[in-house]
Amino acid sequence: MGKCALITGASSGFGAACARALAEHGWKLVLTARREEKLQALGRELAGKTRVHTLALDVRDGDAVAAACAGLPQEYAEVDLLVNNAGLALGLEPAHQAVLQDWETMVDTNVKGVMYCTRAILPGMVARNRGHIVNIGSVAGSWPYPGGNVYGATKAFVQQFSRNLRADLLGTAVRVTNIEPGMAETEFSQVRFKGDDDKAQRVYTGSEPLRPEDIADIVLWVASVPARVNINSVEVMSVHQAWGPLAVHRS
Ligand SMILES: NC(=O)C1=CN([C@@H]2O[C@H](COP(=O)(O)OP(=O)(O)OC[C@H]3O[C@@H](n4cnc5c(N)ncnc54)[C@H](OP(=O)(O)O)[C@@H]3O)[C@@H](O)[C@H]2O)C=CC1
Ligand SMILES: O=CCS(=O)(=O)O
């Protein structure tokens, strides 16, 4: 049965939408996140469509990531598509007021988590000369905004890591894509504002943000183009979002 995709952060938002889209197209799935009950519910939902293996995993724990990937059941051991999606923003304070622990959590998750998962899965892809790593970056990796400080910097890492992986993988058939979404309505803002639902909702009020399934459609597309084609990056925004002008302070 079908190719195998491993998705990090599959308990919510983009990751869950990717699982649904890939299941519709015959991919068998390894779904990972910390909230196991959410993964299991998604696994039950998709059971009629494909084979699903759920795995409680915190991507910040490099040893756990290595052990989980090395110990995948045989049916799921050859991962064809790794979606490095698990990630988060914490806080929107200016740098001089930000919480240092939030910065550390973002680096540990968005930077080190992507490193750990990639390093665990990539050797098998290279050995099989087959595979695709899709990283979920962000417009915040290219475009600065007030309060984006470390979150944007982690996504700039994801962007350049993706490009450097491509450089390393030249001569193999392994593909790498960085998808860079703008504002999308998921649990992202609830997490960023630490459960303040009003603040989270205000991010989207009066506009039409991207939906998780929009990103899942793009993941499916980049994974479905002919094997000779590597989509390097996709920057995508809602039509209700665009860049701002450069800022000028006037006294
Ligand atoms: N929504 C947006 O506007 C945008 C989001 N992004 C990026 O998209 C990705 C997905 O976010 P989105 O779907 O929006 O947000 P959600 O908060 O809805 O989903 C985030 C997912 O990441 C998982 N996750 C977080 N921390 C960890 C961890 N330490 N270990 C394992 N899993 C973890 C969560 O699972 P659990 O809590 O169960 O562990 C959850 O499944 C992130 O990388 C985010 O930065 C990029 C651009 C725009
Ligand atoms: O990555 C998320 C989009 S934004 O909130 O940084 O604009």
Side-chain angles (χ1 to χ4, degrees):
M1 179 196 223
K3 292 192 195 176
C4 178
L6 188 154
I7 304 171
T8 68
S11 60
S12 170
F14 297 166
C18 287
R20 293 189 176 99
L22 290 165
E24 287 295 337
H25 288 77
W27 289 76
K28 62 187 170 189
L29 301 171
V30 180
L31 305 181
T32 79
R34 292 166 300 177
R35 288 172 295 173
E36 197 169 13
E37 67 292 348
K38 292 221 168 224
L39 295 177
Q40 285 170 354
L42 184 56
R44 284 192 295 276
E45 176 193 322
L46 300 178
K49 298 182 194 289
T50 190
R51 301 274 298 150
V52 179
H53 177 65
T54 61
L55 200 55
L57 187 62
D58 186 331
V59 295
R60 293 172 297 179
D61 183 340
D63 291 340
V65 168
C69 292
L72 287 171
Q74 197 180 352
E75 185 187 353
Y76 302 92
E78 295 194 354
V79 174
D80 298 291
L81 173 64
L82 167 63
V83 184
N84 274 321
N85 165 75
L88 78 175
L90 288 171
L92 198 59
E93 295 84 11
H96 53 285
Q97 290 166 352
V99 179
L100 192 56
Q101 181 58 51
D102 288 349
W103 283 6
E104 291 186 353
T105 303
M106 289 188 280
V107 169
D108 289 347
T109 310
N110 302 357
V111 174
K112 291 186 176 178
V114 169
M115 284 165 35
Y116 295 149
C117 294
T118 301
R119 191 61 186 80
I121 295 293
L122 188 56
M125 290 182 170
V126 172
R128 294 186 292 278
N129 200 28
R130 187 180 87 228
H132 195 160
I133 295 179
V134 173
N135 292 326
I136 305 297
S138 168
V139 293
S142 299
W143 311 109
Y145 60 83
N149 42 68
V150 167
Y151 176 67
T154 65
K155 293 302 186 178
F157 167 87
V158 174
Q159 181 185 73
Q160 194 64 5
F161 186 50
S162 304
R163 292 170 176 164
N164 281 335
L165 285 173
R166 283 232 59 223
D168 286 350
L169 292 165
L170 187 66
T172 79
V174 180
R175 303 191 288 189
V176 183
T177 303
N178 189 35
I179 299 179
E180 304 167 9
M183 172 184 65
E185 189 162 3
T186 61
E187 292 180 13
F188 179 84
S189 292
Q190 283 165 302
V191 172
R192 174 170 239 171
F193 298 117
K194 302 171 182 173
D196 184 333
D197 288 339
D198 288 343
K199 232 173 172 179
Q201 202 44 53
R202 278 201 294 277
V203 173
Y204 312 114
T205 303
S207 75
E208 186 174 1
L210 295 171
R211 299 178 188 185
E213 50 271 30
D214 300 327
I215 304 309
D217 283 349
I218 294 170
V219 171
L220 191 62
W221 170 63
V222 302
S224 307
V225 293
R228 66 180 175 277
V229 179
N230 191 102
I231 309 291
N232 296 334
S233 62
V234 179
E235 184 182 84
V236 52
M237 292 179 188
S238 154
V239 289
H240 284 187
Q241 187 176 40
W243 309 273
L246 292 178
V248 178
H249 171 72
R250 301 178 201 281
S251 53

